[in-house]
Amino acid sequence: MDECIFCKIINGKVPSEKVFESENFITIKDINQHPEGHSLVIPKKHFESFINLPENLYQEFVEATKKSIWKLEEEYDFEGFNLALNNGKVAGQIVPHMHLHILPRKRGDNFRFV
Ligand code: 5GP
Ligand code: ZN
């Protein structure tokens, strides 16, 4: 997947700010820091959609997500968070490499979750 921006990040060809890493997942800060701390949990292998994620990675995916949230809690002061997984253009997926958005939330942050 030569053209995939997330594959390039995973291969170290494009810089990113790492939040957490496990054997098969990496969590990075989203380039768009809205809301503050906005991060992405990304499988290291290129799977286009959540539906393509192999079953043997389900547990690690959930664990990577929880550990990423704990890491973010050390850095940011937030009271809650949204998790979002856009699958397909019609659902707002722009980067065709599966990723889970972690969207830290606090009262009065004016963030509209779409
Ligand atoms: P999607 O709409 O596909 O669910 O979300 C793609 C996300 O990737 C967007 O929130 C966008 O800001 C983020 N993004 C796109 N290009 C880059 C990049 O080069 N680096 C980082 N860190 N995030 C990116
Ligand atoms: Zn990719």
Side-chain angles (χ1 to χ4, degrees):
M1 284 295 160
D2 293 346
E3 293 310 310
C4 172
I5 183 68
F6 290 168
C7 283
K8 284 183 184 163
I9 286 173
I10 288 151
N11 294 331
K13 289 182 187 145
V14 169
S16 69
E17 201 182 330
K18 191 166 74 183
V19 174
F20 174 82
E21 185 170 5
S22 66
E23 190 184 344
N24 295 293
F25 292 88
I26 188 166
T27 303
I28 60 163
K29 302 267 177 78
D30 195 293
I31 205 164
N32 167 19
Q33 278 299 291
H34 186 65
E36 186 180 57
H38 181 184
S39 299
L40 305 168
V41 186
I42 308 172
K44 290 181 182 174
K45 280 197 195 135
H46 185 101
F47 304 112
E48 188 159 335
S49 159
F50 173 69
I51 216 76
N52 306 122
L53 186 73
E55 221 168 289
N56 65 314
L57 295 185
Y58 287 2
Q59 190 176 346
E60 191 185 333
F61 176 50
V62 172
E63 275 173 15
T65 302
K66 277 176 74 173
K67 287 176 181 169
S68 300
I69 293 163
W70 292 338
K71 271 275 177 199
L72 290 167
E73 279 176 337
E74 290 171 12
E75 191 177 346
Y76 300 99
D77 185 25
F78 56 92
E79 298 154 79
F81 54 88
N82 296 109
L83 298 176
L85 232 168
N86 304 328
N87 295 280
K89 275 189 191 154
V90 72
Q93 185 177 14
I94 292 165
V95 178
H97 180 140
M98 179 201 145
H99 51 283
L100 177 74
H101 294 259
I102 302 173
L103 301 151
R105 302 299 308 275
K106 53 182 156 190
R107 243 164 286 223
D109 62 10
N110 273 330
F111 180 73
R112 239 180 97 240
F113 181 64
V114 184

